Amino acid sequence: MKNLNRFFAAAIVAVAAIVAAVPAQAQFKFGLKAGAAINSLKFSSTEEFTKSFDKDNRAGFVGGAMIEFTVPLIGIGLDASVLYVHREAKSVVANQPNLTRDYIDIPVNLKYKLCIPVISNVLKPFVTTGPSFAFLTSKKEIEAAFKNKSVDIAWNFGFGVELLSHVQVAASYGLGLTNTLEKIGTVDNKATIEGKNRYWTVTAAYLF
């Protein structure tokens, strides 16, 4: 855990340094974003109870607002969003409710736009990467055996395209770094089984 805290402290310092270095002529945009969140869970055990949920490729939704800073000519910048995210894992056991989780998610990405001569005013491909901090807003307990974690931290890798300088269509993969839920009280009552999020997010945004 100490190494993870140091990693994120270094990431935050790096983001702050980049923001401080952004020149005054940097382009600033604000926009709205919406899309689908396709979630899976990776458990620390293959025990039978982890098969209680159809944990792979369950679609949820995401929506919110974003800001973007871009340095002209070189195409490097930052984007950050505040998003509502709904994630779900479908139960495969009779009378057991689906595993649903709602978050306020704050991804902060370093973004690079590829400026291609002639067509850059119409189309700009881009790539992104950076940390994401998701704060649980739905209930923490899931029956007596499962518990959601209050904060879920991930690292995102994404790509997309900007159209006509206003519309951005993007996809990103989130690699969960911290446990998002745990199973309490295993058979021997001595251990917990933990799960991490793995997810694709596909979004469309309009920037003003």
Side-chain angles (χ1 to χ4, degrees):
M1 191 65 181
K2 284 186 177 180
N3 290 335
L4 187 61
N5 290 337
R6 289 173 183 170
F7 172 79
F8 279 104
I12 291 171
V13 170
V15 169
I18 293 171
V19 172
V22 170
Q25 68 269 28
Q27 297 174 349
F28 170 79
K29 294 181 179 180
F30 165 82
L32 299 176
K33 178 187 292 188
I38 304 168
N39 186 70
S40 64
L41 289 168
K42 181 175 178 61
F43 287 101
S44 61
S45 171
T46 57
E47 295 292 333
E48 186 66 26
F49 73 83
T50 65
K51 301 176 183 178
S52 297
F53 296 102
D54 180 8
K55 58 188 183 300
D56 293 326
N57 300 325
R58 304 306 305 173
F61 56 87
V62 56
M66 66 172 288
I67 57 174
E68 178 188 271
F69 296 91
T70 305
V71 180
L73 300 179
I74 62 174
I76 295 176
L78 290 172
D79 76 30
S81 303
V82 178
L83 304 169
Y84 171 80
V85 181
H86 176 80
R87 294 176 178 148
E88 183 170 329
K90 184 179 180 180
S91 172
V92 294
V93 178
N95 300 319
Q96 178 172 282
N98 292 344
L99 172 57
T100 60
R101 291 161 294 149
D102 299 312
Y103 295 91
I104 298 298
D105 190 24
I106 305 176
V108 181
N109 290 309
L110 180 66
K111 175 182 282 185
Y112 173 67
K113 295 182 182 179
L114 180 60
C115 296
I116 303 172
V118 182
I119 69 170
S120 61
N121 289 334
V122 178
L123 182 150
K124 290 180 184 176
F126 60 82
V127 293
T128 60
T129 188
S132 177
F133 306 91
F135 301 91
L136 185 71
T137 59
S138 57
K139 64 181 182 179
K140 191 168 184 178
E141 302 298 334
I142 316 167
E143 298 185 324
F146 293 91
K147 181 173 73 173
N148 282 316
K149 298 293 187 177
S150 298
V151 181
D152 183 23
I153 302 174
W155 193 273
N156 295 324
F157 304 88
F159 60 92
V161 63
E162 181 176 281
L163 304 171
L164 302 173
S165 300
H166 288 289
V167 177
Q168 292 186 358
V169 179
S172 65
Y173 181 74
L175 183 65
L177 300 178
T178 58
N179 295 315
T180 187
L181 65 90
E182 66 180 15
K183 163 84 172 180
I184 308 169
T186 57
V187 175
D188 59 10
N189 290 316
K190 294 181 180 179
T192 58
I193 304 301
E194 298 162 325
K196 289 183 171 66
N197 272 325
R198 300 286 190 271
Y199 55 88
W200 281 96
T201 305
V202 181
T203 59
Y206 186 86
L207 303 177
F208 300 94

